[in-house]
Amino acid sequence: MNKDLRKVVILLAHPNMKESQANKALIEAVSDIEGVAVFNLYDQQDAAFDVDEWSKIISDASALIYQFPFHWMAAPSLLKRWQDEVFTFLSKTPAVAGKPLTIVTTTGSEYEAYRSGGRNRFTTDELLRPYQVSAIHSGMSWQTPIVVYGMGTGKIGVCCYSK
């Protein structure tokens, strides 16, 4: 494989990017960077995922990022469908092994809501465990998530937390 072709693949799963503020700004900040490839899953929501095509894309990648707004304590359903239809296959191949997986997400609630005893009762770290487990199970390297809190409150904050 030509190392010059290796890139960071961002799987964007936002059902309404036209109305987005934070996710739109995050994608605009990185989309022109050489070596970054953004794939908006909602651009192809009505089509079946082509596992062979995705296998090539992910095989050529140096890292994988899932970016999404936190909906009901998880990613929007299309990312789950991609995981079920594509990642399940890729997780059994060398395509993902050893590659870093990072979650970039935005929340409607403020940081304090995602604390033990806070309004949402659990930390973001706890709520993102299923993504961490799938990364570890498939031999990927789990990275510290990037969370932009408070998009629905006016109390916007960014936090990265350790593994």
Side-chain angles (χ1 to χ4, degrees):
M1 173 180 9
N2 181 348
K3 289 195 180 212
D4 294 335
L5 296 177
R6 294 177 63 83
K7 60 190 165 295
V8 174
V9 169
I10 300 174
L11 292 182
L12 175 62
H14 195 302
N16 189 3
M17 277 300 285
K18 289 179 183 173
E19 300 296 321
S20 172
Q21 293 176 9
N23 280 277
K24 186 186 297 184
L26 290 167
I27 286 297
E28 288 174 356
V30 299
S31 61
D32 290 337
I33 297 173
E34 187 174 338
V36 173
V38 177
F39 297 90
N40 185 345
L41 296 178
Y42 279 85
D43 284 347
Q44 44 190 327
Q45 68 181 341
D46 296 326
F49 292 121
D50 183 334
V51 175
D52 291 333
E53 182 181 335
W54 279 107
S55 185
K56 290 174 189 163
I57 291 167
I58 302 301
S59 291
D60 288 342
S62 59
L64 181 59
I65 295 173
Y66 293 164
Q67 181 181 324
F68 55 87
F70 220 35
H71 284 190
W72 292 105
M73 310 309 160
S77 62
L78 198 53
L79 180 58
K80 175 64 170 128
R81 190 179 120 209
W82 185 89
Q83 289 176 302
D84 290 345
E85 295 177 16
V86 177
F87 192 78
T88 298
F89 170 77
L90 294 177
S91 70
K92 300 171 187 144
T93 72
V96 296
K99 293 181 180 175
L101 175 65
T102 305
I103 301 293
V104 176
T105 191
T106 59
T107 72
S109 297
E110 70 285 353
Y111 174 81
E112 293 78 18
Y114 292 96
R115 304 290 98 213
S116 179
R119 186 174 62 255
N120 295 327
R121 303 283 192 254
F122 297 95
T123 66
T124 311
D125 184 38
E126 292 169 320
L127 295 168
L128 291 174
R129 286 279 189 249
Y131 302 100
Q132 183 177 8
V133 171
S134 67
I136 293 167
H137 179 72
S138 62
M140 298 183 83
S141 172
W142 176 251
Q143 302 299 298
T144 301
I146 299 167
V147 183
V148 180
Y149 290 98
M151 293 313 304
T153 65
K155 297 178 182 180
I156 299 170
V158 178
C159 183
C160 300
Y161 53 87
S162 60
K163 300 177 197 175

